[in-house]
Amino acid sequence: MKKYILGLFAVAVMASCVSQQERAMKSADKDFILKAANENFAKKKWKNALALYDRLANLVAGTDDFPNVGFNTAYANYYDKSYKLAGHQFKNFAVNFPKDPRAEEAAYMSALCYYEGSMDYNLDQSSTDLAINELQDFLNNYPNSERSKNISQLIDELSYKLEFKAYENGRQYFKMGQYKAANVALENVLEDFPSTKLRSKIYDYIMKSRYELATKSVYDLKDERIESALTYAKMVEKELPNTEYSKTAADLREKLEKEKQNFVVVKKQTEARIAALTARQKKEADKLANQNKSEQQIKDQISHEKQAKQMQRDSAALQTPPPAATFKIQR
């Protein structure tokens, strides 16, 4: 019996709440809507509260209730995980009501909303860049605030996300065998984030990328790339002593030294073959040139002989007198 009565009571309460929400949604009474919205807010019924606060925006414009509605709306959206919208609303509150005692809190919550809206590292990071800027703005505007104590930590966290994304991009190039692109991408990480916590891993992948470039290089670039990889391996040994990375560096350095020695032999053999080929080509070219010269001499001799004969014929024609004229005697 008691369970039955409790059940009826619960149904009655639910019906009352629903009917109050419905009445507030249909009502034009500002005070009644505001009361219902604030009750929903207190009970953490964010969607119901937001539905009513949206109706109040025009009704409370210009009244003392306007800042409260805006402030609560921003918080309701924040708790409802609509961080982008909440951040915009908190920022508007801080700008429009700078003398309100809640202005600093609104500015802080705006920055926090942008932080919450930062996407995972493997997605587009424009939201992360924006969040860092917003957090830094709060530090600049409220340097002595108690709320500033964790802002630097949040900025470091977001910066690390950017570092890690850049590092992962370089690592993916390495995994795909694009060693030159991996080397460039990872060196950019070191340049863009000089205090990166990933320095050891980045050194390791740059060293391995240069090793792969050296061992798989074309002939013309191999010498240079072997030296580049050797220099980097030695640097890693020096910078990261007694670590797994220095052990890898020592192993790669030994392999590169052998690669360098083998390449010296190959280089000498190649240069010898090139020299022999060049000499053979020169000999053949000289032979062909002499042959062409002989053929040209024969052609020139034949041409000279033809010209001489022609000159003889022309000379004979000039020296032979024309036949005497024959006159017919008239009778």
Side-chain angles (χ1 to χ4, degrees), residues 80-327:
D80 199 41
K81 297 184 179 181
S82 297
Y83 300 121
K84 188 174 182 179
L85 178 57
H88 179 70
Q89 290 169 339
F90 277 123
K91 192 170 186 176
N92 281 345
F93 184 93
V95 171
N96 294 327
F97 305 103
K99 295 183 180 180
D100 190 292
R102 297 168 293 182
E104 180 188 318
E105 181 182 354
Y108 173 78
M109 289 303 301
S110 175
L112 193 61
C113 284
Y114 285 105
Y115 164 80
E116 294 289 357
S118 172
M119 306 296 285
D120 290 340
Y121 81 90
N122 56 331
L123 302 175
D124 177 67
Q125 290 301 296
S126 57
S127 60
T128 302
D129 290 325
L130 181 59
I132 291 174
N133 291 335
E134 291 293 329
L135 290 166
Q136 189 61 54
D137 283 344
F138 181 82
L139 277 180
N140 296 338
N141 294 328
Y142 302 96
N144 300 319
S145 171
E146 286 293 319
R147 295 184 175 89
S148 296
K149 293 182 179 179
N150 72 324
I151 291 292
S152 295
Q153 182 180 346
L154 297 180
I155 292 176
D156 288 343
E157 182 182 331
L158 294 177
S159 295
Y160 179 75
K161 187 185 293 188
L162 296 178
E163 290 176 28
F164 192 76
K165 180 178 178 63
Y167 162 75
E168 277 295 298
N169 286 342
R171 200 170 70 90
Q172 288 302 315
Y173 280 130
F174 180 86
K175 290 173 67 176
M176 293 187 293
Q178 299 181 25
Y179 303 116
K180 188 174 181 179
N183 184 77
V184 172
L186 291 167
E187 284 186 337
N188 286 340
V189 178
L190 293 176
E191 183 176 345
D192 294 338
F193 306 97
S195 301
T196 178
K197 300 173 184 177
L198 299 168
R199 182 173 295 276
S200 299
K201 292 182 179 180
I202 293 171
Y203 278 172
D204 187 52
Y205 274 107
I206 290 178
M207 177 177 62
K208 290 176 181 177
S209 295
R210 293 192 181 192
Y211 171 80
E212 294 293 342
L213 280 173
T215 56
K216 299 176 181 178
S217 178
V218 294
Y219 179 84
D220 291 342
L221 298 175
K222 195 173 185 69
D223 205 358
E224 176 187 343
R225 287 178 172 174
I226 287 177
E227 289 301 328
S228 174
L230 270 172
T231 300
Y232 210 87
K234 292 175 182 177
M235 186 275 289
V236 172
E237 284 187 273
K238 181 180 179 181
E239 293 290 326
L240 305 173
N242 303 319
T243 64
E244 59 178 304
Y245 304 112
S246 63
K247 292 178 181 178
T248 302
D251 181 56
L252 294 183
R253 177 174 53 77
E254 291 179 6
K255 292 179 180 178
L256 287 165
E257 292 287 359
K258 292 180 181 178
E259 187 79 14
K260 183 178 180 179
Q261 293 173 3
N262 293 336
F263 185 65
V264 169
V265 175
V266 171
K267 191 175 181 180
K268 288 181 179 179
Q269 293 174 346
T270 303
E271 289 174 351
R273 286 198 297 269
I274 292 174
L277 178 61
T278 301
R280 186 165 63 252
Q281 289 175 338
K282 185 177 184 303
K283 184 177 180 180
E284 292 177 356
D286 290 343
K287 181 179 178 181
L288 181 60
N290 291 331
Q291 182 179 347
N292 290 338
K293 184 177 180 181
S294 299
E295 291 177 355
Q296 187 62 40
Q297 288 175 344
I298 294 172
K299 289 180 181 178
D300 290 344
Q301 184 178 352
I302 293 173
S303 177
H304 291 156
E305 291 175 355
K306 287 182 178 180
Q307 289 178 1
K309 289 180 180 179
Q310 184 63 41
M311 289 177 65
Q312 289 177 357
R313 286 194 294 269
D314 293 344
S315 177
L318 290 172
Q319 294 176 1
T320 303
T326 303
F327 296 97

Side-chain angles (χ1 to χ4, degrees), residues 15-69:
S16 174
C17 291
V18 171
S19 61
Q20 184 186 36
Q21 179 72 11
E22 289 179 350
R23 289 200 310 273
M25 288 296 294
K26 296 176 181 178
S27 174
D29 185 344
K30 173 179 71 72
D31 294 331
F32 177 69
I33 300 172
L34 181 59
K35 180 175 178 294
N38 289 338
E39 286 178 0
N40 282 324
F41 184 86
K43 294 176 181 178
K44 301 182 180 181
K45 296 180 178 180
W46 312 122
K47 294 189 183 301
N48 286 347
L50 285 169
L52 296 177
Y53 283 137
D54 285 345
R55 293 204 61 221
L56 284 167
N58 293 329
L59 296 176
V60 299
T63 70
D64 292 339
D65 293 320
F66 184 69
N68 294 330
V69 169

